[in-house]
Amino acid sequence: IRTALPRWYRYVALAMIHWFLSILPFLAPLLLLIPVGLLASSMPNKATMMMAFVIGWILLTVLSIPVCIWVYCRYALCITASALEGLSVGKALARSAVLSKGLRWKIFLLVAVAYVLQMILLGGLTAPVVPLILHVTHSHGQLPLPVVLYQLAVGFGVVALITPSYGIGYTLIYLDARVRKEGYDIELMMQLSAEVPDAAATGAQPEASSP
């Protein structure tokens, strides 16, 4: 905590940049097609052009989803790299791009499993009040305050329970990447072997000389 707290702003910036880079391939088709949609709405055969615009937008959106996932997995280790190596924002992103290469499928599986587990917990904890929600909504048109508070508490509790698993998983994948690519385990062993003789030499007492 002592080392991480003074750098909280760096981790917040990395989280925001990581999120923005991940959704940028999804937003790019929309931003590019907005002028096309405005142009199509002013043409004589407006209905046909608008239909073509919607189909093109859906197609580009579907094609952008794998790119979003790839970008997310590429920079998923940026906060871990910054926290453990003290890197700046730019260097942490570059470091994540290098370390995640070849291990991005593991990052994807981690995120997918954590997300599915989160949905299962939300569904399981919300299922008991679903009949009440349907009945109250059908009768009064709005949910009572206790039900709303229960849903908010369940959502907060599940997110607070599942979110740390991302950090733990990213740390394990980060260490695995360094072991595979940089021999990090050998480096640690060499550091420990160098520290042990120093500690033994420091703690050794000189033998008493004979009279």
Side-chain angles (χ1 to χ4, degrees):
I1 297 177
R2 292 180 179 178
T3 58
L5 193 59
R7 303 172 183 171
W8 65 269
Y9 59 91
R10 182 184 300 174
Y11 306 141
V12 172
L14 281 170
M16 295 178 64
I17 294 173
H18 181 208
W19 177 80
F20 176 75
L21 292 176
S22 300
I23 66 169
L24 185 60
F26 180 81
L27 296 177
L30 180 61
L31 297 177
L32 292 175
L33 288 176
I34 286 178
V36 179
L38 295 175
L39 180 62
S41 61
S42 62
M43 298 185 69
N45 51 349
K46 182 167 57 176
T48 304
M49 296 302 297
M50 288 302 296
M51 181 62 68
F53 166 76
V54 171
I55 294 174
W57 178 75
I58 294 175
L59 181 61
L60 289 176
T61 301
V62 171
L63 293 177
S64 68
I65 292 176
V67 182
C68 293
I69 295 174
W70 180 83
V71 173
Y72 181 91
C73 296
R74 175 182 172 89
Y75 297 111
L77 304 179
C78 60
I79 297 179
T80 306
S82 178
L84 297 182
E85 300 182 34
L87 302 177
S88 61
V89 173
K91 292 182 179 180
L93 292 171
R95 182 71 166 151
S96 176
V98 173
L99 292 177
S100 64
K101 189 175 182 180
L103 298 174
R104 289 164 192 163
W105 62 275
K106 286 188 176 182
I107 299 174
F108 172 74
L109 289 178
L110 168 67
V111 174
V113 170
Y115 180 78
V116 171
L117 182 60
Q118 181 176 338
M119 293 297 103
I120 292 174
L121 290 176
L122 282 175
L125 295 175
T126 308
V129 298
V130 168
L132 176 61
I133 293 174
L134 295 177
H135 175 72
V136 173
T137 304
H138 179 72
S139 303
H140 304 282
Q142 61 182 1
L143 295 177
L145 182 60
V147 176
V148 175
L149 293 178
Y150 175 79
Q151 289 181 318
L152 293 176
V154 167
F156 176 80
V158 170
V159 171
L161 180 65
I162 298 299
T163 300
S165 63
Y166 290 97
I168 296 172
Y170 292 155
T171 302
L172 293 176
I173 294 174
Y174 165 86
L175 294 175
D176 183 31
R178 291 200 62 181
V179 168
R180 290 171 180 264
K181 300 179 180 182
E182 301 174 354
Y184 186 56
D185 54 341
I186 300 176
E187 180 181 344
L188 289 178
M189 291 175 62
M190 293 177 63
Q191 292 178 358
L192 291 175
S193 63
E195 292 174 358
V196 170
D198 294 341
T202 303
Q205 298 295 331
E207 297 181 358
S209 58
S210 58

